[in-house]
Amino acid sequence: MEFVGVPVIVVCCYIFGEIYKALLKKHKEAYKYIPVFLSVIGGLLGILIHLTTPNSIFNADNIWIALGIGIVSGASSTGANQIIKQLFKKEENSNE
C-alpha cells in the first residue's frame, strides 16, 4: 500500500499539465513553465497525501520527505508526457 501515492501524483500532475496546455494553447511561450508548475503541484499533492494517509508514500517519515517525493513525482509526469508524445509521433511518421 505504500507505493500507491507516487503513481497517483504522477497521473494527477499529468492531467494538470494537459489542462495547463489546453488553457494556454495560444501562449506557447508559457509551455516552458510546465515542469515548474507540475513540480509545485506534485509537492503539494505529496504533502496532502502524507497528511491524509501517511502510509501511502513510501519512506515518507515526515512532511519534508513527502514534499521531495511529490516534487520528483510531479516532475516525472513531464517525462511521461514526452514518452507518450514520442510514441504517437513515431506512429504518425510510420504511417506516411
Side-chain angles (χ1 to χ4, degrees), residues 6-7 16 24 28 35 46 48 52 60 69-70:
V6 174
F16 278 121
L24 298 173
K28 301 271 187 196
L48 181 69
T52 56
I69 292 171

Side-chain angles (χ1 to χ4, degrees), residues 7-20 34 37-43 45 70-71 73-78:
V8 168
I9 295 171
V10 172
V11 170
C12 288
C13 286
Y14 179 82
I15 293 169
F16 278 121
E18 291 298 320
I19 292 170
Y20 181 92
I34 290 175
F37 172 71
L38 295 180
S39 296
V40 170
I41 295 295
L45 286 173
I71 289 171
S73 299
S76 69
S77 67
T78 306

Side-chain angles (χ1 to χ4, degrees), residues 25-80:
K25 190 179 290 189
K26 294 182 181 180
H27 304 285
K28 301 271 187 196
E29 65 275 358
Y31 284 11
K32 66 182 176 183
Y33 300 112
I34 290 175
V36 175
F37 172 71
L38 295 180
S39 296
V40 170
I41 295 295
L44 294 174
L45 286 173
I47 291 172
L48 181 69
I49 290 172
H50 178 71
L51 293 176
T52 56
T53 55
N55 295 331
S56 294
I57 299 178
F58 61 97
N59 295 331
D61 298 330
N62 59 44
I63 202 163
W64 297 107
I65 296 173
L67 174 68
I69 292 171
I71 289 171
V72 171
S73 299
S76 69
S77 67
T78 306

